[in-house]
């Protein structure tokens, strides 16, 4: 088998989307500015339709994005010994993801989440199954060029030490880190070795302030704090304001790629951006070119249901790039 270009690490899940009818729910803001999804209680509600999407989650979405963009993509994860687990492995295989490092846990259930889809946004009901996390053994020719580490269960905190140990033994392997909720909550001190070993760190603006402790109102301050943790390249996404990237010397701002029509559903937009940015670097491209690529896949993903249906192949991405508006390019911040 050919060497894996990039090995994604993280949990995998099946998402059951339930499309709510616009007139059967509502969204309201509380005094703190938090939004709440409101539905009548203790009654029967009609819904539009349901769609089940297998083998998703931050790392799984990235693994599929890498494969679509022509990289030899592998995946390290855990599934249960149930039909959902078998279906997830099949779904990943159909997307050309190498699944030989996906571990089947015979007496466990697979992760299965429910997504309440209202208008273009979603609220996800999550439950992480508890697996016995084991870092796989790689023969010399199986060691990947890059790893992409993302969301994993709170039960897997010691697993980060195994990954850090392996990275120390394999100094030539480069790592991209897109922390999930529990990884952020674990704190930068607990995951110090991971942050120090990170080549590319990708967070949204709120996450950047939470993880690094910088000033939410200053992108420069956020970059300064995050670089101190060790990452060579830091990317901060900022919703409708686009994204920013820093290599410690130069800093760039990148606008969104304009939506061809109103977004259908936003699940996976962040994963598409992060993985596409990393894919460009794996292919040897510059940070500026990676910034040109990443928003296009985000734009495409939100035109479809779920995190993977809209992920583009390289030739399609380049077509969108060819037709980009004149102002679609990164600008230096200083």
């Amino acid at each position: 088998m050919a060497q894996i270009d990039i090995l994604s690490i993280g949990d995998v899940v099946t998402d059951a989307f339930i499309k709510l009818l616009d007139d059967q729910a509502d969204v309201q803001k509380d005094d703190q500015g938090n939004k709440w999804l409101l539905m009548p209680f203790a009654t029967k509600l009609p819904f539009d339709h349901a769609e089940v999407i297998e083998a998703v989650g931050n790392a799984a979405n990235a693994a599929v994005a890498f494969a679509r963009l022509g990289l030899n993509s592998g995946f390290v994860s855990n599934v249960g010994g149930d039909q959902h687990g078998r279906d997830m492995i099949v779904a990943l295989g159909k997307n050309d993801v190498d699944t030989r490092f996906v571990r089947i846990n015979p007496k466990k259930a697979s992760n299965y989440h429910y997504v309440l889809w209202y208008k273009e946004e979603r609220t996800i009901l999550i439950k992480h199954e508890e697996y016995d996390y084991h870092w796989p053994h790689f023969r010399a020719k199986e060691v990947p060029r890059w790893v992409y580490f993302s969301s994993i269960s709170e039960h897997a905190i010691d697993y980060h030490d195994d990954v850090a140990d392996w990275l120390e033994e394999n100094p030539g392997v480069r790592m991209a880190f897109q922390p999930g909720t529990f990884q952020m909550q674990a704190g930068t001190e607990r995951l110090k070795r991971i942050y120090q070993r990170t080549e590319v760190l990708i967070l949204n603006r709120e996450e950047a302030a939470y993880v690094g402790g910088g000033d939410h109102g200053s992108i420069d301050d956020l970059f300064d704090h995050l670089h101190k943790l060790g990452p060579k390249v830091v990317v901060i996404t900022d919703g409708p304001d686009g994204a920013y990237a820093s290599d410690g010397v130069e800093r760039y701002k990148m606008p969104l790629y304009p939506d061809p029509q109103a977004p259908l559903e936003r699940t996976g937009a962040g994963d598409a951006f992060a993985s596409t940015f990393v894919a460009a670097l794996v292919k040897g491209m510059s940070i500026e070119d990676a910034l040109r690529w990443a928003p296009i896949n985000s734009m495409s993903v939100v035109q479809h249901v779920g995190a993977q249906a809209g992920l583009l192949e390289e030739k399609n991405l380049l077509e969108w790039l060819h037709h980009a508006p004149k102002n679609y390019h990164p600008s230096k911040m200083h």
Side-chain angles (χ1 to χ4, degrees):
M1 282 188 168
Q3 183 187 24
I4 291 173
D5 292 315
I6 184 157
L7 184 75
S8 301
I9 311 163
D11 287 343
V12 63
V13 60
T14 291
D15 277 347
F17 279 77
I18 302 165
K19 178 75 168 93
L20 303 176
L21 293 163
D22 286 2
D23 62 354
Q24 296 295 318
D26 195 15
V27 176
Q28 290 189 9
K29 268 189 184 178
D30 63 18
D31 295 340
Q32 284 76 46
N34 301 309
K35 290 183 178 179
W36 293 82
L37 177 63
L38 301 182
M39 293 182 286
F41 181 61
T43 184
K44 293 180 179 177
L45 283 185
F47 65 94
D48 187 79
H49 71 283
E51 289 183 45
V52 175
I53 302 177
E54 292 150 344
V56 292
N58 300 120
N61 298 337
V64 171
F66 297 138
R68 294 257 173 100
L69 291 169
L71 294 171
N72 194 354
S73 173
F75 188 39
V76 176
S77 194
N78 283 271
V79 297
D82 52 12
Q83 189 60 48
H84 295 314
R86 290 190 285 277
D87 291 344
M88 284 195 269
I89 290 173
V90 169
L92 289 163
K94 284 180 180 171
N95 277 296
D96 296 323
V97 175
D98 185 334
T99 59
R100 72 190 123 141
F101 302 115
V102 176
R103 188 165 178 267
I104 298 168
N105 297 256
K107 295 180 181 176
K108 300 277 189 178
S110 297
N111 291 314
Y112 197 98
H113 296 169
Y114 296 89
V115 184
L116 302 178
W117 170 17
Y118 183 64
K119 297 188 175 175
E120 76 278 9
E121 284 294 355
R122 77 285 184 273
T123 299
I124 308 177
L125 307 179
I126 66 170
K127 179 178 185 288
H128 285 279
E129 301 295 337
E130 292 189 36
Y131 299 118
D132 192 8
Y133 287 83
H134 289 287
W135 183 245
H137 174 73
F138 298 90
R139 293 191 294 262
K141 61 184 179 183
E142 292 175 333
V143 173
R145 296 197 293 128
W146 279 73
V147 294
Y148 183 98
F149 200 0
S150 194
S151 182
I152 203 162
S153 164
E154 60 190 312
H155 312 299
I157 192 67
D158 293 339
Y159 187 65
H160 294 79
D161 302 327
D162 297 339
V163 176
D165 289 343
W166 178 81
L167 286 166
E168 279 179 14
E169 292 161 15
N170 294 274
V173 177
R174 301 163 82 180
M175 181 172 69
F177 189 31
Q178 181 207 16
T181 305
F182 296 122
Q183 290 165 320
M184 287 185 265
Q185 289 171 354
T188 54
E189 190 56 39
R190 178 63 184 87
L191 300 187
K192 186 176 184 177
R193 294 167 70 204
I194 295 293
Y195 283 102
Q196 286 177 339
R197 188 62 170 75
T198 295
E199 181 98 8
V200 186
L201 177 66
I202 305 135
L203 298 160
N204 66 35
R205 190 168 189 149
E206 287 68 32
E207 292 166 348
Y210 177 79
V211 169
D215 175 8
H216 184 279
S218 167
I219 288 291
D220 280 318
D221 194 55
L222 294 175
F223 275 142
D224 290 344
H225 277 75
L226 292 168
H227 275 303
K228 281 178 188 166
L229 300 174
K232 295 182 179 69
V233 175
V234 177
V235 179
I236 300 172
T237 60
D238 196 18
D241 289 328
Y244 305 85
S246 166
D247 64 1
V249 179
E250 299 290 356
R251 294 180 177 181
Y252 305 92
K253 185 180 192 311
M254 185 70 201
L256 294 179
Y257 194 97
D259 291 317
Q261 53 200 37
L264 182 63
E265 194 272 315
R266 295 188 191 278
T267 303
D271 295 340
F273 184 100
S275 54
T276 306
F277 182 91
V278 173
L281 297 185
V282 175
K283 286 170 170 277
M285 294 162 60
S286 67
I287 287 175
E288 294 105 305
D289 283 334
L291 281 170
R292 288 184 184 92
W293 271 36
I296 295 174
N297 235 351
S298 287
M299 171 277 297
S300 180
V301 161
V302 301
Q303 298 294 326
H304 299 78
V305 180
Q308 296 177 6
L311 291 171
L312 297 166
E313 293 182 3
E314 184 172 354
K315 64 176 189 284
N316 304 118
L317 190 149
L318 292 174
E319 212 169 286
W320 283 103
L321 185 57
H322 180 69
H323 293 104
K326 283 192 171 62
N327 67 342
Y328 183 74
H329 58 81
S331 53
K332 288 190 179 179
M333 288 174 60
H334 302 295

